[in-house]
Coordinates of all heavy atoms in Angstrom, one line a residue:
M17 N -13.5 29.9 -37.4 CA -13.5 28.5 -37.0 C -12.3 28.2 -36.0 O -12.4 27.6 -35.0 CB -13.4 27.6 -38.2 CG -13.7 26.2 -38.0 SD -15.5 26.1 -37.7 CE -15.7 24.3 -37.7
K18 N -11.1 28.7 -36.4 CA -9.9 28.4 -35.6 C -10.0 28.9 -34.2 O -9.6 28.2 -33.2 CB -8.7 28.9 -36.3 CG -7.4 28.4 -35.6 CD -6.2 28.7 -36.4 CE -5.1 28.1 -35.7 NZ -3.9 28.0 -36.4
P19 N -10.6 30.1 -33.9 CA -10.6 30.6 -32.5 C -11.5 29.7 -31.7 O -11.2 29.5 -30.5 CB -11.3 32.0 -32.7 CG -10.9 32.4 -34.1 CD -10.9 31.1 -34.9
V20 N -12.6 29.1 -32.2 CA -13.5 28.1 -31.5 C -12.6 27.0 -31.0 O -12.7 26.5 -29.9 CB -14.6 27.7 -32.3 CG1 -15.4 26.7 -31.6 CG2 -15.5 29.0 -32.6
T21 N -11.8 26.5 -32.0 CA -11.0 25.3 -31.6 C -10.0 25.6 -30.5 O -9.8 24.9 -29.5 CB -10.2 24.9 -32.9 OG1 -11.1 24.6 -33.9 CG2 -9.4 23.6 -32.6
D22 N -9.3 26.8 -30.6 CA -8.4 27.3 -29.5 C -9.2 27.4 -28.2 O -8.6 27.0 -27.1 CB -7.8 28.6 -29.9 CG -6.7 28.4 -31.0 OD1 -6.3 27.3 -31.2 OD2 -6.3 29.4 -31.6
E23 N -10.4 28.0 -28.2 CA -11.2 28.1 -27.0 C -11.5 26.7 -26.4 O -11.4 26.5 -25.2 CB -12.5 29.0 -27.3 CG -13.3 29.2 -26.1 CD -12.6 30.0 -25.0 OE1 -11.7 30.9 -25.4 OE2 -12.9 29.8 -23.8
S24 N -11.9 25.8 -27.3 CA -12.2 24.5 -26.8 C -11.0 23.8 -26.2 O -11.1 23.2 -25.1 CB -12.7 23.6 -27.9 OG -13.9 24.1 -28.5
R25 N -9.8 24.1 -26.8 CA -8.7 23.5 -26.2 C -8.3 24.0 -24.9 O -7.9 23.4 -24.0 CB -7.5 23.8 -27.2 CG -6.3 23.0 -27.0 CD -5.2 23.1 -28.0 NE -5.7 22.7 -29.3 CZ -5.2 23.2 -30.5 NH1 -4.3 24.0 -30.5 NH2 -5.7 22.7 -31.6
R26 N -8.5 25.4 -24.7 CA -8.2 26.1 -23.5 C -9.2 25.5 -22.4 O -8.8 25.2 -21.3 CB -8.5 27.6 -23.6 CG -7.2 28.3 -24.0 CD -7.4 29.8 -23.9 NE -6.6 30.4 -25.0 CZ -7.1 31.0 -26.0 NH1 -8.4 31.2 -26.2 NH2 -6.4 31.4 -27.0
R27 N -10.5 25.3 -22.7 CA -11.4 24.8 -21.8 C -11.1 23.4 -21.4 O -11.1 23.0 -20.2 CB -12.9 24.8 -22.3 CG -13.6 26.0 -22.0 CD -15.0 25.9 -22.3 NE -15.2 26.7 -23.6 CZ -15.9 26.4 -24.6 NH1 -16.7 25.3 -24.6 NH2 -16.0 27.1 -25.7
L28 N -10.6 22.6 -22.4 CA -10.2 21.2 -22.1 C -9.0 21.2 -21.1 O -9.0 20.4 -20.2 CB -9.9 20.4 -23.4 CG -9.3 19.0 -23.2 CD1 -10.4 18.1 -22.5 CD2 -8.9 18.5 -24.5
L29 N -8.0 22.0 -21.4 CA -6.8 22.1 -20.6 C -7.2 22.5 -19.2 O -6.6 22.0 -18.2 CB -5.8 23.0 -21.2 CG -5.0 22.4 -22.4 CD1 -4.2 23.6 -23.0 CD2 -4.2 21.3 -22.0
K30 N -8.1 23.5 -19.1 CA -8.5 23.9 -17.7 C -9.2 22.8 -17.0 O -8.9 22.6 -15.8 CB -9.5 25.1 -17.8 CG -8.9 26.4 -18.0 CD -9.9 27.6 -18.0 CE -9.2 28.9 -18.3 NZ -10.3 29.9 -18.4
S31 N -10.1 22.0 -17.6 CA -10.7 20.9 -17.0 C -9.8 19.9 -16.6 O -9.9 19.3 -15.5 CB -11.7 20.3 -18.0 OG -12.7 21.2 -18.3
V32 N -8.8 19.5 -17.4 CA -7.8 18.6 -17.1 C -7.0 19.0 -15.9 O -6.7 18.2 -14.9 CB -6.9 18.2 -18.3 CG1 -5.7 17.4 -17.9 CG2 -7.7 17.5 -19.4
T33 N -6.6 20.3 -15.9 CA -5.8 20.8 -14.8 C -6.5 20.8 -13.5 O -6.0 20.3 -12.5 CB -5.3 22.2 -15.1 OG1 -4.6 22.2 -16.4 CG2 -4.5 22.8 -14.1
L34 N -7.8 21.2 -13.6 CA -8.6 21.2 -12.4 C -8.8 19.7 -11.9 O -8.7 19.5 -10.7 CB -10.0 21.8 -12.7 CG -11.0 21.8 -11.5 CD1 -10.4 22.6 -10.4 CD2 -12.3 22.4 -12.0
G35 N -9.0 18.8 -12.8 CA -9.2 17.4 -12.5 C -8.0 16.8 -11.8 O -8.1 16.2 -10.7
V36 N -6.8 17.1 -12.3 CA -5.6 16.7 -11.7 C -5.4 17.2 -10.3 O -5.1 16.6 -9.4 CB -4.4 17.0 -12.6 CG1 -3.1 16.8 -11.9 CG2 -4.5 16.2 -13.9
A37 N -5.7 18.5 -10.2 CA -5.6 19.2 -8.9 C -6.6 18.6 -7.9 O -6.2 18.3 -6.7 CB -5.9 20.7 -9.0
L38 N -7.8 18.3 -8.3 CA -8.8 17.7 -7.3 C -8.4 16.3 -6.9 O -8.5 15.9 -5.8 CB -10.2 17.7 -8.0 CG -10.8 19.1 -8.1 CD1 -12.2 19.0 -8.8 CD2 -11.0 19.7 -6.7
V39 N -7.9 15.6 -7.8 CA -7.5 14.2 -7.5 C -6.3 14.2 -6.6 O -6.2 13.5 -5.6 CB -7.0 13.4 -8.8 CG1 -6.3 12.1 -8.5 CG2 -8.3 13.1 -9.6
S40 N -5.4 15.2 -6.8 CA -4.2 15.4 -5.8 C -4.6 15.7 -4.4 O -4.2 15.1 -3.5 CB -3.3 16.4 -6.4 OG -2.7 16.0 -7.6
V41 N -5.6 16.7 -4.4 CA -6.1 17.1 -3.1 C -6.9 16.0 -2.4 O -6.8 15.7 -1.2 CB -7.0 18.4 -3.2 CG1 -7.7 18.7 -1.9 CG2 -6.1 19.6 -3.7
A42 N -7.7 15.3 -3.2 CA -8.5 14.2 -2.6 C -7.6 13.1 -2.2 O -8.0 12.4 -1.2 CB -9.5 13.7 -3.7
G43 N -6.5 12.9 -2.7 CA -5.6 11.9 -2.3 C -4.9 12.1 -1.0 O -4.5 11.1 -0.3
L44 N -4.8 13.3 -0.5 CA -4.2 13.7 0.7 C -4.7 12.9 1.9 O -4.0 12.4 2.7 CB -4.1 15.2 0.9 CG -3.2 15.9 0.0 CD1 -3.2 17.4 0.2 CD2 -1.7 15.5 0.2
P45 N -6.1 13.0 2.1 CA -6.6 12.3 3.3 C -6.3 10.8 3.3 O -6.1 10.2 4.3 CB -8.1 12.6 3.2 CG -8.2 13.8 2.4 CD -7.0 13.7 1.4
L46 N -6.3 10.2 2.1 CA -6.0 8.8 2.0 C -4.6 8.5 2.5 O -4.4 7.5 3.2 CB -6.2 8.3 0.5 CG -7.6 8.3 0.0 CD1 -7.6 7.8 -1.4 CD2 -8.5 7.4 0.9
R47 N -3.7 9.3 2.1 CA -2.3 9.1 2.5 C -2.2 9.3 4.0 O -1.5 8.6 4.7 CB -1.3 10.0 1.7 CG -0.9 9.3 0.4 CD 0.1 10.1 -0.2 NE -0.2 10.2 -1.6 CZ -0.6 11.3 -2.2 NH1 -0.6 12.5 -1.6 NH2 -1.0 11.3 -3.5
A48 N -2.9 10.3 4.5 CA -2.8 10.7 5.9 C -3.4 9.6 6.7 O -3.2 9.6 8.0 CB -3.5 12.1 6.1
A49 N -4.3 8.8 6.2 CA -4.9 7.8 7.0 C -4.0 6.8 7.6 O -4.2 6.3 8.7 CB -5.9 7.0 6.1
S50 N -2.8 6.6 7.0 CA -1.7 5.7 7.5 C -2.1 4.2 7.6 O -3.3 3.9 7.6 CB -1.2 6.3 8.8 OG -1.9 5.8 9.9
A51 N -1.1 3.5 7.8 CA -1.3 2.0 7.9 C -2.0 1.6 9.2 O -2.6 0.5 9.2 CB 0.1 1.4 7.9
A52 N -2.0 2.4 10.2 CA -2.8 2.1 11.4 C -4.2 1.9 11.1 O -4.9 1.2 11.8 CB -2.6 3.1 12.5
D53 N -4.7 2.6 10.1 CA -6.2 2.5 9.7 C -6.5 1.4 8.7 O -7.7 1.2 8.5 CB -6.6 3.8 9.2 CG -6.4 4.9 10.2 OD1 -6.6 4.7 11.4 OD2 -6.1 6.1 9.7
L54 N -5.5 0.8 8.2 CA -5.7 -0.3 7.2 C -6.2 -1.5 7.9 O -5.8 -1.8 9.0 CB -4.4 -0.6 6.5 CG -3.8 0.5 5.6 CD1 -2.4 0.0 5.2 CD2 -4.7 0.9 4.5
P55 N -7.1 -2.3 7.2 CA -7.6 -3.5 7.8 C -6.4 -4.5 7.8 O -5.6 -4.6 6.9 CB -8.7 -3.9 6.8 CG -8.4 -3.3 5.5 CD -7.6 -2.0 5.9
L56 N -6.4 -5.3 8.9 CA -5.4 -6.4 9.0 C -5.7 -7.5 8.0 O -6.8 -7.8 7.7 CB -5.4 -6.9 10.5 CG -4.7 -6.1 11.5 CD1 -5.0 -6.7 12.9 CD2 -3.1 -6.1 11.2
V57 N -4.6 -8.0 7.6 CA -4.7 -9.3 6.7 C -5.3 -10.3 7.6 O -4.9 -10.6 8.7 CB -3.3 -9.7 6.2 CG1 -3.4 -11.0 5.6 CG2 -2.7 -8.6 5.3
T58 N -6.2 -11.1 7.0 CA -6.9 -12.2 7.7 C -6.4 -13.5 7.2 O -5.9 -13.6 6.1 CB -8.4 -12.1 7.5 OG1 -8.7 -12.1 6.1 CG2 -9.0 -10.8 8.1
A59 N -6.6 -14.5 8.0 CA -6.1 -15.9 7.7 C -6.8 -16.4 6.4 O -6.1 -17.2 5.6 CB -6.4 -16.8 8.8
D60 N -7.9 -15.9 6.0 CA -8.6 -16.4 4.8 C -8.2 -15.6 3.6 O -8.8 -15.9 2.5 CB -10.1 -16.5 5.0 CG -10.7 -15.1 5.3 OD1 -10.0 -14.1 5.7 OD2 -11.9 -15.0 5.1
D61 N -7.3 -14.7 3.7 CA -6.9 -13.9 2.5 C -6.1 -14.8 1.6 O -5.2 -15.5 2.0 CB -6.0 -12.7 3.0 CG -5.5 -11.9 1.9 OD1 -4.7 -12.3 1.1 OD2 -6.0 -10.7 1.9
P62 N -6.4 -14.8 0.3 CA -5.8 -15.7 -0.6 C -4.2 -15.5 -0.7 O -3.5 -16.5 -0.7 CB -6.4 -15.4 -2.0 CG -7.7 -14.8 -1.7 CD -7.6 -14.1 -0.3
T63 N -3.8 -14.3 -0.6 CA -2.4 -14.0 -0.6 C -1.8 -14.5 0.7 O -0.6 -15.1 0.6 CB -2.1 -12.5 -0.9 OG1 -2.8 -12.1 -2.1 CG2 -0.6 -12.2 -1.0
A64 N -2.4 -14.3 1.7 CA -1.9 -14.7 3.1 C -1.8 -16.3 3.0 O -0.8 -16.8 3.5 CB -2.8 -14.4 4.2
K65 N -2.7 -17.0 2.5 CA -2.6 -18.4 2.4 C -1.4 -18.8 1.5 O -0.7 -19.7 1.9 CB -3.9 -19.0 1.8 CG -5.1 -19.0 2.8 CD -6.3 -19.6 2.2 CE -7.5 -19.7 3.2 NZ -8.7 -20.2 2.6
A66 N -1.3 -18.2 0.4 CA -0.3 -18.6 -0.6 C 1.1 -18.3 0.0 O 2.0 -19.1 -0.3 CB -0.4 -17.7 -1.9
L67 N 1.2 -17.2 0.8 CA 2.5 -16.9 1.4 C 2.7 -17.5 2.8 O 3.7 -17.2 3.5 CB 2.7 -15.4 1.4 CG 2.7 -14.7 0.0 CD1 2.9 -13.2 0.2 CD2 3.8 -15.3 -0.8
R68 N 1.7 -18.3 3.3 CA 1.7 -18.8 4.6 C 1.9 -17.7 5.7 O 2.7 -18.0 6.7 CB 2.8 -19.9 4.7 CG 2.6 -21.1 3.8 CD 3.6 -22.2 3.9 NE 4.9 -21.7 3.4 CZ 6.0 -21.9 4.1 NH1 6.0 -22.5 5.2 NH2 7.2 -21.5 3.6
Y69 N 1.2 -16.6 5.5 CA 1.3 -15.6 6.5 C 0.7 -16.0 7.8 O -0.4 -16.6 7.8 CB 0.6 -14.3 6.0 CG 0.4 -13.3 7.0 CD1 1.5 -12.4 7.4 CD2 -0.8 -13.1 7.7 CE1 1.4 -11.4 8.3 CE2 -0.9 -12.1 8.7 CZ 0.1 -11.3 9.0 OH 0.0 -10.4 10.0
V70 N 1.3 -15.7 8.9 CA 0.8 -15.9 10.2 C 1.0 -14.6 11.0 O 2.0 -13.8 10.7 CB 1.5 -17.0 11.0 CG1 1.1 -18.4 10.4 CG2 3.0 -16.9 11.0
S71 N 0.1 -14.2 12.0 CA 0.3 -13.0 12.7 C 1.3 -13.1 13.9 O 1.7 -12.1 14.4 CB -1.1 -12.5 13.2 OG -1.6 -13.5 14.1
D72 N 1.7 -14.4 14.1 CA 2.7 -14.6 15.2 C 3.8 -15.5 14.6 O 3.7 -16.7 14.4 CB 2.0 -15.4 16.4 CG 3.0 -15.6 17.5 OD1 4.2 -15.4 17.4 OD2 2.5 -16.0 18.6
A73 N 4.9 -14.8 14.4 CA 6.1 -15.5 13.7 C 6.6 -16.7 14.5 O 7.1 -17.7 13.8 CB 7.2 -14.5 13.6
S74 N 6.3 -16.7 15.8 CA 6.8 -17.9 16.6 C 6.0 -19.1 16.2 O 6.4 -20.3 16.5 CB 6.7 -17.6 18.1 OG 5.4 -17.5 18.5
K75 N 4.9 -19.0 15.6 CA 4.0 -20.2 15.2 C 4.2 -20.5 13.7 O 3.5 -21.4 13.2 CB 2.6 -19.8 15.5 CG 2.3 -19.7 16.9 CD 0.8 -19.4 17.2 CE 0.7 -19.2 18.7 NZ -0.4 -18.4 19.1
A76 N 5.1 -19.8 13.0 CA 5.4 -20.1 11.6 C 6.3 -21.3 11.4 O 7.3 -21.4 12.0 CB 5.9 -18.9 10.9
S77 N 5.9 -22.2 10.6 CA 6.8 -23.3 10.3 C 7.8 -22.9 9.2 O 7.3 -22.3 8.2 CB 6.1 -24.6 9.8 OG 5.3 -24.3 8.6
G78 N 9.0 -23.1 9.4 CA 10.0 -22.7 8.4 C 10.5 -21.3 8.5 O 11.4 -20.9 7.7
A79 N 10.1 -20.6 9.5 CA 10.6 -19.2 9.6 C 12.0 -19.2 10.3 O 12.3 -20.0 11.2 CB 9.7 -18.4 10.6
K80 N 12.9 -18.4 9.7 CA 14.2 -18.3 10.3 C 14.1 -17.6 11.7 O 13.3 -16.7 11.8 CB 15.0 -17.4 9.4 CG 16.5 -17.2 9.7 CD 17.2 -16.3 8.7 CE 18.6 -16.0 9.1 NZ 19.2 -15.1 8.1
P81 N 14.8 -18.1 12.7 CA 14.6 -17.6 14.0 C 14.9 -16.1 14.0 O 15.9 -15.6 13.4 CB 15.7 -18.3 14.8 CG 15.9 -19.6 14.1 CD 15.7 -19.3 12.7
G82 N 14.0 -15.3 14.6 CA 14.1 -13.9 14.7 C 13.4 -13.2 13.6 O 13.3 -11.9 13.6
S83 N 13.1 -13.9 12.5 CA 12.4 -13.2 11.4 C 11.0 -12.9 11.7 O 10.3 -13.6 12.3 CB 12.6 -14.0 10.1 OG 11.9 -15.3 10.3
K84 N 10.6 -11.7 11.4 CA 9.2 -11.2 11.6 C 9.0 -10.0 10.7 O 10.0 -9.4 10.2 CB 9.0 -10.9 13.0 CG 9.8 -9.9 13.6 CD 9.7 -9.7 15.1 CE 10.7 -8.7 15.7 NZ 10.6 -8.6 17.1
C85 N 7.8 -9.7 10.5 CA 7.4 -8.5 9.6 C 8.2 -7.3 10.0 O 8.7 -6.6 9.1 CB 5.9 -8.3 9.7 SG 4.9 -9.6 8.9
A86 N 8.3 -7.0 11.3 CA 9.0 -5.8 11.7 C 10.4 -5.6 11.2 O 10.9 -4.5 11.0 CB 9.0 -5.7 13.2
N87 N 11.1 -6.8 10.9 CA 12.5 -6.7 10.4 C 12.6 -7.2 8.9 O 13.6 -7.6 8.5 CB 13.5 -7.4 11.3 CG 13.2 -8.8 11.6 OD1 12.4 -9.4 10.7 ND2 13.7 -9.4 12.6
C88 N 11.4 -7.1 8.2 CA 11.4 -7.5 6.8 C 11.5 -6.3 5.9 O 10.9 -5.2 6.3 CB 10.1 -8.2 6.5 SG 9.8 -8.6 4.8
S89 N 12.1 -6.4 4.8 CA 12.3 -5.2 3.9 C 11.0 -4.8 3.3 O 10.9 -3.6 2.8 CB 13.4 -5.5 2.9 OG 12.9 -6.5 2.0
N90 N 10.0 -5.7 3.3 CA 8.7 -5.3 2.7 C 7.8 -4.6 3.7 O 6.7 -4.0 3.3 CB 8.0 -6.5 2.2 CG 8.7 -7.2 1.0 OD1 9.1 -6.5 0.1 ND2 8.9 -8.5 1.1
Y91 N 8.1 -4.5 4.9 CA 7.3 -3.9 6.0 C 7.3 -2.4 5.9 O 8.4 -1.8 5.7 CB 7.8 -4.4 7.4 CG 6.9 -3.9 8.5 CD1 5.6 -4.4 8.6 CD2 7.4 -3.1 9.5 CE1 4.8 -4.1 9.7 CE2 6.6 -2.7 10.5 CZ 5.3 -3.2 10.6 OH 4.5 -2.8 11.7
Q92 N 6.2 -1.8 5.9 CA 6.1 -0.4 5.8 C 5.7 0.4 7.0 O 5.6 1.7 7.0 CB 5.0 0.0 4.7 CG 5.3 -0.7 3.3 CD 6.4 -0.2 2.6 OE1 6.5 1.0 2.3 NE2 7.5 -1.0 2.5
G93 N 5.5 -0.4 8.1 CA 5.3 0.3 9.4 C 6.5 1.0 9.9 O 7.6 0.7 9.6
A94 N 6.1 2.0 10.8 CA 7.2 2.8 11.4 C 7.9 1.9 12.5 O 7.3 0.9 12.9 CB 6.7 3.9 12.2
A95 N 9.2 2.2 12.8 CA 9.9 1.4 13.8 C 9.1 1.4 15.1 O 8.6 2.5 15.6 CB 11.3 2.1 14.1
G96 N 8.9 0.2 15.8 CA 8.2 0.2 17.0 C 6.7 0.0 16.9 O 6.0 -0.1 17.8
S97 N 6.2 0.1 15.6 CA 4.7 0.0 15.4 C 4.2 -1.4 15.6 O 5.0 -2.4 15.4 CB 4.4 0.5 13.9 OG 5.1 -0.4 13.0
A98 N 3.0 -1.6 16.0 CA 2.4 -2.9 16.2 C 2.0 -3.5 14.9 O 1.9 -4.7 14.8 CB 1.2 -2.7 17.2
Q99 N 1.7 -2.7 14.0 CA 1.3 -3.2 12.6 C 1.6 -2.1 11.6 O 1.8 -1.0 11.9 CB -0.2 -3.5 12.6 CG -1.1 -2.3 12.8 CD -2.6 -2.7 13.0 OE1 -2.9 -3.5 13.9 NE2 -3.5 -2.2 12.2
G100 N 1.7 -2.6 10.4 CA 1.9 -1.6 9.3 C 1.7 -2.3 7.9 O 1.3 -3.4 7.8
G101 N 1.8 -1.5 6.9 CA 1.6 -2.0 5.6 C 2.7 -3.0 5.1 O 3.8 -3.0 5.7
C102 N 2.4 -3.6 4.1 CA 3.4 -4.6 3.5 C 3.3 -4.5 2.1 O 2.2 -4.4 1.5 CB 3.1 -6.0 4.0 SG 4.1 -7.2 3.0
L103 N 4.4 -4.4 1.3 CA 4.4 -4.2 -0.1 C 3.6 -5.4 -0.8 O 3.1 -5.2 -1.9 CB 5.8 -4.2 -0.7 CG 6.6 -2.9 -0.2 CD1 8.0 -3.1 -0.8 CD2 6.0 -1.7 -0.7
L104 N 3.6 -6.5 -0.2 CA 2.9 -7.6 -0.8 C 1.4 -7.7 -0.5 O 0.7 -8.5 -1.1 CB 3.5 -9.0 -0.3 CG 5.0 -9.1 -0.6 CD1 5.5 -10.5 -0.2 CD2 5.4 -8.7 -2.0
F105 N 0.9 -6.8 0.4 CA -0.5 -6.8 0.8 C -1.0 -5.4 0.6 O -1.3 -4.7 1.6 CB -0.8 -7.3 2.2 CG -0.4 -8.7 2.4 CD1 0.9 -9.1 2.9 CD2 -1.4 -9.7 2.1 CE1 1.1 -10.5 3.1 CE2 -1.1 -11.1 2.3 CZ 0.1 -11.5 2.8
P106 N -1.2 -4.9 -0.6 CA -1.6 -3.5 -0.8 C -2.9 -3.3 -0.1 O -3.9 -4.1 -0.3 CB -1.7 -3.3 -2.3 CG -1.1 -4.6 -2.9 CD -1.0 -5.6 -1.9
G107 N -3.1 -2.1 0.5 CA -4.3 -1.7 1.2 C -4.6 -2.4 2.4 O -5.7 -2.3 3.0
K108 N -3.7 -3.2 2.9 CA -3.9 -4.0 4.2 C -2.7 -3.8 5.1 O -1.6 -3.4 4.6 CB -4.2 -5.5 3.9 CG -5.5 -5.6 3.1 CD -5.7 -7.1 2.8 CE -7.0 -7.3 2.0 NZ -7.2 -8.6 1.5
A109 N -2.9 -4.2 6.4 CA -1.7 -4.1 7.3 C -1.4 -5.5 7.8 O -2.3 -6.4 7.9 CB -2.1 -3.2 8.5
V110 N -0.2 -5.7 8.2 CA 0.2 -7.0 8.8 C 0.7 -6.6 10.2 O 1.2 -5.5 10.5 CB 1.4 -7.7 8.0 CG1 0.8 -8.0 6.6 CG2 2.6 -6.8 7.8
K111 N 0.8 -7.6 11.1 CA 1.2 -7.4 12.4 C 2.8 -7.3 12.3 O 3.4 -8.1 11.6 CB 0.8 -8.6 13.3 CG -0.7 -8.7 13.4 CD -1.4 -7.6 14.2 CE -1.1 -7.7 15.7 NZ -1.8 -6.6 16.4
A112 N 3.3 -6.6 13.2 CA 4.8 -6.4 13.2 C 5.4 -7.8 13.7 O 6.6 -8.1 13.4 CB 5.2 -5.3 14.2
T113 N 4.6 -8.5 14.4 CA 5.0 -9.8 14.9 C 4.8 -11.0 13.9 O 5.1 -12.1 14.2 CB 4.3 -10.2 16.3 OG1 2.9 -10.1 15.9 CG2 4.7 -9.2 17.4
G114 N 4.2 -10.6 12.8 CA 3.8 -11.6 11.8 C 5.0 -12.1 10.9 O 6.2 -11.7 11.2
W115 N 4.7 -13.0 10.1 CA 5.8 -13.6 9.2 C 5.1 -14.2 8.0 O 3.9 -14.6 8.1 CB 6.5 -14.6 10.0 CG 7.6 -15.3 9.1 CD1 8.9 -15.0 9.0 CD2 7.5 -16.5 8.3 NE1 9.6 -15.8 8.2 CE2 8.7 -16.7 7.7 CE3 6.4 -17.3 7.9 CZ2 8.9 -17.8 6.9 CZ3 6.6 -18.4 7.0 CH2 7.9 -18.6 6.5
C116 N 5.8 -14.3 6.8 CA 5.3 -15.0 5.7 C 6.5 -15.5 5.0 O 7.7 -15.1 5.3 CB 4.4 -14.2 4.8 SG 5.3 -13.1 3.5
S117 N 6.3 -16.4 4.0 CA 7.4 -17.1 3.3 C 8.2 -16.1 2.4 O 9.3 -16.5 1.9 CB 6.9 -18.2 2.4 OG 5.9 -17.7 1.5
S118 N 7.7 -14.9 2.2 CA 8.5 -13.9 1.4 C 9.3 -13.0 2.3 O 9.8 -12.0 1.8 CB 7.5 -13.1 0.6 OG 7.0 -13.9 -0.5
W119 N 9.4 -13.4 3.6 CA 10.3 -12.5 4.5 C 11.7 -12.4 3.9 O 12.3 -13.3 3.4 CB 10.4 -13.2 5.8 CG 11.3 -12.4 6.8 CD1 10.9 -11.4 7.6 CD2 12.7 -12.5 7.0 NE1 12.0 -10.8 8.3 CE2 13.1 -11.6 7.9 CE3 13.7 -13.4 6.5 CZ2 14.4 -11.4 8.4 CZ3 14.9 -13.3 6.9 CH2 15.3 -12.3 7.9
T120 N 12.1 -11.1 3.9 CA 13.4 -10.8 3.4 C 14.0 -9.8 4.4 O 13.4 -8.8 4.7 CB 13.4 -10.0 2.0 OG1 12.6 -10.9 1.1 CG2 14.7 -9.8 1.4
A121 N 15.3 -10.1 4.8 CA 15.9 -9.2 5.9 C 16.0 -7.8 5.4 O 16.3 -7.5 4.3 CB 17.2 -9.8 6.2
K122 N 15.6 -6.9 6.3 CA 15.8 -5.5 6.1 C 17.3 -5.2 6.1 O 18.0 -5.7 6.9 CB 15.0 -4.7 7.2 CG 14.7 -3.3 6.9 CD 14.0 -2.7 8.0 CE 12.5 -2.8 7.7 NZ 11.6 -2.1 8.7
T123 N 17.7 -4.4 5.2 CA 19.2 -4.0 5.1 C 19.4 -2.6 5.6 O 18.6 -1.8 5.6 CB 19.7 -4.2 3.7 OG1 19.0 -3.5 2.8 CG2 19.7 -5.7 3.3
Ligands
SF4_210 S1 6.6 -9.9 3.1 FE1 7.6 -9.4 5.1 S2 6.3 -7.7 6.0 FE2 5.2 -8.7 4.3 S3 4.0 -10.3 5.4 FE3 5.8 -11.3 4.6 S4 7.3 -11.1 6.4 FE4 5.6 -9.7 6.7

């Protein structure tokens, strides 16, 4: 009886190991997709509305002069990028020229 249990345990461990490996490999293309492929945040996005996000910081009311997504600590886009991810909008991209009320200066 005990050898059967050990064999079952081995099979389970192999399955779990294979599953973890497949998930890891499957995740690579998603990471490689980059923020350039993410859909842009739209004006009707509930989070965008709540944070008063605009794609053009010059049109934002209450924005500190010069503040924009590109110089926000939450911006995930590369330097000089036109758009990129934002920690507050998972799975979406914001314009580098955008702004929202959660803007925080990049340090
Ligand atoms: S948190 Fe920063 S990067 Fe994100 S939308 Fe607001 S200003 Fe842009």
Side-chain angles (χ1 to χ4, degrees):
M17 195 72 169
K18 189 168 182 164
V20 172
T21 304
D22 288 343
E23 183 61 31
S24 297
R25 194 174 298 155
R26 272 190 214 108
R27 266 189 260 141
L28 175 64
L29 285 172
K30 278 183 184 176
S31 297
V32 169
T33 303
L34 179 62
V36 168
L38 288 175
V39 167
S40 298
V41 170
L44 287 176
L46 291 176
R47 275 187 225 113
S50 85
D53 300 326
L54 296 173
L56 279 171
V57 170
T58 57
D60 62 341
D61 183 291
T63 305
K65 286 181 179 176
L67 299 178
R68 297 184 290 131
Y69 171 79
V70 291
S71 59
D72 182 352
S74 69
K75 295 178 180 159
S77 62
K80 183 178 174 182
S83 63
K84 58 187 175 183
C85 293
N87 57 21
C88 174
S89 63
N90 294 314
Y91 187 64
Q92 303 295 294
S97 58
Q99 64 189 56
C102 167
L103 295 177
L104 304 186
F105 294 95
K108 295 179 182 171
V110 295
K111 298 293 282 183
T113 55
W115 179 90
C116 86
S117 60
S118 290
W119 179 85
T120 306
K122 200 175 267 186
T123 54

